[in-house]
Amino acid sequence: MKIAIQFLSLALVLTLLQSCELAEGIFKAGMWWAFFLIALVAVGLFLLFRKK
């Protein structure tokens, strides 16, 4: 019984750590996607309002 509890505890910890890494990856990708969109909007506004 004690070995089963230790195994379940280890499985829970490993699952939670992997979930944190997954969330970190999603937020990093989201951050770069946001930078890309901001740059795209800035270039679009520059082209829209530039003098010809």
Side-chain angles (χ1 to χ4, degrees):
M1 183 71 175
K2 185 177 179 183
I3 193 80
I5 292 174
Q6 289 175 344
F7 177 73
L8 289 174
S9 298
L10 180 63
L12 178 66
V13 167
L14 289 175
T15 303
L16 289 174
L17 288 176
Q18 288 178 351
S19 298
C20 289
E21 290 176 5
L22 176 65
E24 179 184 357
I26 291 171
F27 283 117
K28 280 185 180 178
M31 180 183 69
W32 288 111
W33 181 244
F35 287 153
F36 174 73
L37 288 177
I38 290 170
L40 191 63
V41 168
V43 169
L45 288 174
F46 174 75
L47 292 175
L48 185 63
F49 291 111
R50 70 180 178 162
K51 294 182 180 180
K52 291 187 176 185

